């Protein structure tokens, strides 16, 4: 693998992006039982990309910022003014419209994913990979085992629309769908069952 050389400007831009996201998500927690800081998620999504060999700065920035518009008071205009049009466009491609009902947002992710840019697709794959691993680690409060399995099934429908972009991400997701398990009330369940009754 060839070594990627970063300039001090790249590192400064990356730190600015992390700082912006950390401030925007500062009061938010994940839905897991531990209530982990929300910022762990976008950082983890960016790490999934780097671990898969993706080091493009715009893509990493978009991963770090991918939930800021959806889940904070951030606007697309704010992202564009601070980080540029290209970063804004990728974030926009992976942002759900919170004005729509939850089920419609889920449906649209399945429909839109095959048609978004390559950069947005890998962010989407890394995001789902993080969320699925997080579900295996800790089932959110008030979720049932069936809801976890339904999330896995829906995630596969979304990620199938982005297959073929990055083999490492594809392989990790496929392993979760084929072999993943999680614990709920001291019982081990298949994460992705063949059928849910």
């Amino acid at each position: 693998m060839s070594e990627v050389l970063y300039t001090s400007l790249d590192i400064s831009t990356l730190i600015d992006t992390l700082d912006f996201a950390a401030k925007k998500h500062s009061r938010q927690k994940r839905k897991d039982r531990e209530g982990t800081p929300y910022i762990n998620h976008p950082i983890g999504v960016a790490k999934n990309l780097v671990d898969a060999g993706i080091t493009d700065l715009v893509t990493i920035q978009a991963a770090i910022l991918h939930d800021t518009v959806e889940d904070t008071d951030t606007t697309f205009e704010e992202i564009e003014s601070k980080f540029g049009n290209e970063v804004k466009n990728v974030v926009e491609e992976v942002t759900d419209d919170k004005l729509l009902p939850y089920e419609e947002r889920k449906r649209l992710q399945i429909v839109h994913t095959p048609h978004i840019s390559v950069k947005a697709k890998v962010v989407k794959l890394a995001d789902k990979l993080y969320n699925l691993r997080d579900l295996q680690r800790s089932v959110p409060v008030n979720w049932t085992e069936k809801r976890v399995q339904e999330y896995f099934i829906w995630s596969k429908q979304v990620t199938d629309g982005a297959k073929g972009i990055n083999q490492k991400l594809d392989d990790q997701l496929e392993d979760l769908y084929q072999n993943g398990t999680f614990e709920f009330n001291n019982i081990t369940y298949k994460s992705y069952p063949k059928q849910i009754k």
Side-chain angles (χ1 to χ4, degrees):
M1 180 152 72
S2 62
E3 185 178 341
V4 178
L5 298 176
Y6 293 101
T7 67
S8 57
L9 180 61
D10 290 339
I11 293 167
S12 176
T13 300
L14 184 61
I15 296 302
D16 284 346
T17 308
L18 286 164
D19 181 63
F20 179 88
K23 287 173 179 170
K24 290 294 188 173
H25 292 297
S26 64
R27 291 191 170 93
Q28 296 176 323
K29 303 281 187 188
R30 293 284 283 170
K31 294 178 182 176
D32 58 15
R33 294 180 188 282
E34 299 81 9
T36 54
Y38 195 90
I39 192 62
N40 292 10
H41 170 63
I43 291 172
V45 173
K47 184 178 184 327
N48 283 345
L49 291 172
V50 173
D51 289 348
I54 297 162
T55 55
D56 169 69
L57 183 59
V58 166
T59 306
I60 301 302
Q61 286 181 274
I64 293 166
L65 299 169
H66 80 276
D67 277 338
T68 53
V69 174
E70 197 170 309
D71 293 335
T72 77
D73 62 358
T74 309
T75 64
F76 291 121
E77 292 75 22
E78 189 177 4
I79 289 178
E80 185 170 20
S81 71
K82 286 193 72 66
F83 304 109
N85 187 61
E86 193 176 5
V87 172
K88 186 270 297 183
N89 287 343
V90 178
V91 172
E92 195 167 24
E93 287 183 281
V94 297
T95 297
D96 286 350
D97 181 350
K98 282 292 193 78
L99 297 176
L100 296 173
Y102 176 71
E103 290 302 322
E104 178 64 3
R105 297 197 310 265
K106 285 179 64 177
R107 185 189 74 78
L108 287 173
Q109 280 200 42
I110 296 168
V111 171
H112 289 156
T113 296
H115 309 291
I116 59 180
S117 68
V118 168
K119 290 178 181 184
K121 282 180 180 177
V122 292
V123 171
K124 181 78 71 175
L125 291 171
D127 179 39
K128 290 293 181 278
L129 180 62
Y130 185 98
N131 285 338
L132 295 173
R133 285 175 172 165
D134 217 30
L135 280 175
Q136 290 185 299
R137 181 188 62 78
S138 178
V139 174
V141 178
N142 299 324
W143 279 42
T144 63
E145 73 278 6
K146 183 176 179 184
R147 184 167 177 189
V148 173
Q149 291 173 327
E150 286 172 343
Y151 188 90
F152 267 80
I153 289 168
W154 168 72
S155 293
K156 186 171 188 318
Q157 292 175 304
V158 174
T159 60
D160 280 353
K163 265 186 166 178
I165 302 296
N166 183 281
Q167 194 61 53
K168 287 184 180 178
L169 291 172
D170 286 351
D171 290 346
Q172 291 173 83
L173 284 160
E174 192 56 34
D175 183 57
L176 282 177
Y177 299 136
Q178 293 295 323
N179 306 308
T181 61
F182 67 96
E183 277 200 20
F184 185 79
N185 291 337
N186 298 317
I187 300 171
T188 300
Y189 293 90
K190 285 279 290 173
S191 299
Y192 187 91
K194 298 303 175 204
Q195 272 189 320
I196 293 182
K197 294 179 180 168

